[in-house]
Amino acid sequence: MSRERSGKLFEEAQRILPGGVDSPVRAFKAVGGNPPFIARGEGSRLYDEDGNSYMDYVCSWGPMILGHADPTVIAAVTDAATRGTSFGAPTELETTLAKLVTRAIPSIELIRFVNSGTEATMSALRLARAFTGRDRIIKFAGGYHGHSDGLLTRAGSGLATLGIPDSPGVPAAYAATTLVVPYNDPAAVEATFEQHRGEIAAVIIEPVAANMGVVPAAPGVLEGLRDLTSREGALLIFDEVISGFRVAHGGAQELLGIVPDLTCLGKIIGGGLPVGAYGGRREIMEMMAPLGPVYQAGTLSGNPLAMTAGIETLRRLGEPGVYEQLEEKSAALAAGVNAAAEAAGVAIHLSRVASLMTAFFTADPVTDFETASRSDTAAFAGFHGRLLAGGVYWPPSQFEAAFVSLAHGDEDIRFTIEAVGSALATS
Ligand code: PMP
């Protein structure tokens, strides 16, 4: 497989974009080699500038749950574009998408659309601080909630990969308002609340962690957090930017039966266009301007093309049997990967929640950022390169989730398992 043209494009990009990319993980630094430059996507496949095709398990890091260039979404967005691409004024589309989201996730009584997951979490925390009159927040090591200043402390995802504990440029005094505790460690959260009684505005958590690789919350942990935050007068914020409309129609909160105070969304609700959202209990959300004093705004927020892509995507996800199909495909892939690893004599820990999965290159269980970090990243990098050469585009970092879409057919899954077997056999 030649990737000559991609290589040339990457060189050219590096002369004008830092690292040749607009988001660090795309540069393939964690796995080595050059990234394919993508020319187009269709269904379960990506096609690069050299004409190679790949079975895609990145799915734009989650949004493309229907697959690439879904004909219904594309037709709706194309049609919407002929009526104008941005107005900076209210449209019916925003209410339509809001209804689709709140019907699926009833804990969201009022919702505000923004342009990214980063904006959603940043704004939800501002609101939580305003509502409680407190400054500190708790996040979990390896949890990624976007790149706003206060959340770049022990974040997972690209940062875990790059080994940057904190980003320079974040004022120390501000970062100090973020308290970081290990995932799946309720005693640590209790101790932190005790130490900072009356100071903690909110706990923000990925209820299914997906940015240290996929790590489910252990049984009882989220229930405990719900009780503790209620008792302490702090808000519980679920960051469902990945898990929303992914692990179940109603997100992790439906799957696990826990009701947060605020929820952050992104990715799937924009159907592949830039969207984020945050919402929750009415009395909290009513603090947002123009109803209340907490300011947050956006020139392109509620953008008609993005709303349209989200509406079409959520309508499809509301059809019966969709999540059962996703589960079937994902279970088949996970079973195949496990069997291939066993046949190849390679120790992996396959962690899966619904259509999210990570093959950790470690024999030990993974329950938090520390245990995830024990994975053999060099072995993963070799595996990734061979898999790419075999025509499968797996996330280019050990600490990311692979995403299965509705466009992945049985034949696609079989092809992938075979390619995984070959990539593991030569490790
Ligand atoms: N929260 C979570 C859980 C995420 O996975 C991400 C991005 N992967 C974000 C927030 C930030 O979203 P965005 O990249 O759209 O700013």
Side-chain angles (χ1 to χ4, degrees), residues 184-229:
N184 281 328
D185 188 347
V189 187
E190 295 242 10
T192 309
F193 265 100
E194 231 161 75
Q195 210 183 333
H196 299 279
R197 180 134 289 136
E199 297 175 7
I200 295 167
V203 175
I204 186 164
I205 185 167
E206 293 176 72
V208 174
N211 284 291
M212 46 182 136
V214 175
V215 180
V221 164
L222 295 172
E223 286 84 348
L225 269 185
R226 178 64 283 183
D227 290 347
L228 181 63
T229 46

Side-chain angles (χ1 to χ4, degrees), residues 239-266:
D239 180 350
E240 298 228 43
V241 166
I242 283 185
S243 60
F245 292 93
R246 165 65 63 180
V247 299
H249 192 236
Q253 55 196 276
E254 176 191 297
L255 184 75
L256 305 168
I258 314 281
V259 182
D261 298 297
L262 293 175
T263 299
C264 300
L265 295 166

Side-chain angles (χ1 to χ4, degrees), residues 39-361:
R40 66 185 183 91
E42 188 181 339
S44 57
R45 289 191 172 274
L46 290 177
Y47 298 84
D48 73 12
E49 291 284 355
D50 294 276
N52 303 305
S53 92
Y54 307 92
M55 191 55 54
D56 179 27
Y57 291 96
V58 173
C59 291
S60 187
W61 303 102
M64 312 317 300
I65 196 167
L66 305 181
H68 295 284
D70 176 81
T72 316
V73 175
I74 297 304
V77 170
T78 307
D79 182 53
T82 63
R83 289 188 292 277
T85 56
S86 185
F87 311 118
T91 65
E92 187 180 0
L93 296 166
E94 294 155 81
T95 310
T96 306
L97 185 58
K99 282 182 185 163
L100 285 165
V101 173
T102 55
R103 250 180 241 143
I105 308 177
S107 74
I108 304 181
E109 293 173 340
L110 285 180
I111 187 167
R112 167 68 54 87
F113 290 110
V114 290
N115 302 296
S116 67
T118 295
E119 275 186 70
T121 55
M122 179 184 78
S123 310
L125 287 176
R126 180 181 305 144
L127 174 57
R129 285 174 163 134
F131 185 77
T132 58
R134 303 170 175 182
D135 281 350
R136 293 188 195 274
I137 58 144
I138 291 182
K139 79 175 279 290
F140 295 87
Y144 181 68
H145 306 287
H147 64 85
S148 69
D149 281 354
L151 289 167
L152 284 182
T153 46
R154 314 249 345 246
S157 202
L159 285 165
T161 305
L162 294 171
I164 303 170
D166 285 305
S167 173
V170 175
Y174 186 48
T177 63
T178 306
L179 306 163
V180 184
V181 299
Y183 200 73
N184 281 328
D185 188 347
V189 187
E190 295 242 10
T192 309
F193 265 100
E194 231 161 75
Q195 210 183 333
H196 299 279
R197 180 134 289 136
E199 297 175 7
I200 295 167
V203 175
I204 186 164
I205 185 167
E206 293 176 72
V208 174
N211 284 291
M212 46 182 136
V214 175
V215 180
V221 164
L222 295 172
E223 286 84 348
L225 269 185
R226 178 64 283 183
D227 290 347
L228 181 63
T229 46
S230 298
R231 226 179 319 128
E232 297 284 347
L235 300 187
L236 179 61
I237 304 176
F238 273 9
D239 180 350
E240 298 228 43
V241 166
I242 283 185
S243 60
F245 292 93
R246 165 65 63 180
V247 299
H249 192 236
Q253 55 196 276
E254 176 191 297
L255 184 75
L256 305 168
I258 314 281
V259 182
D261 298 297
L262 293 175
T263 299
C264 300
L265 295 166
K267 301 197 189 254
I268 288 175
I269 65 159
L273 274 84
V275 178
Y278 61 102
R281 265 172 40 213
R282 182 174 297 275
E283 61 166 328
I284 306 172
M285 289 301 291
E286 280 178 346
M287 286 197 75
M288 293 312 303
L291 278 184
V294 181
Y295 194 71
Q296 180 271 309
T299 299
L300 291 170
S301 294
N303 173 267
L305 300 194
M307 295 293 104
T308 299
I311 289 165
E312 291 308 323
T313 300
L314 295 201
R315 279 194 180 137
R316 278 281 288 292
L317 294 177
E319 289 171 6
V322 160
Y323 287 90
E324 287 79 358
Q325 278 175 47
L326 267 174
E327 173 61 26
E328 229 171 80
K329 294 169 193 294
S330 309
L333 178 60
V337 170
N338 268 328
E342 210 175 303
V346 178
I348 61 161
H349 172 79
L350 193 116
S351 182
R352 176 176 81 90
V353 177
S355 55
L356 297 171
M357 70 184 80
T358 298
F360 289 106
F361 277 63

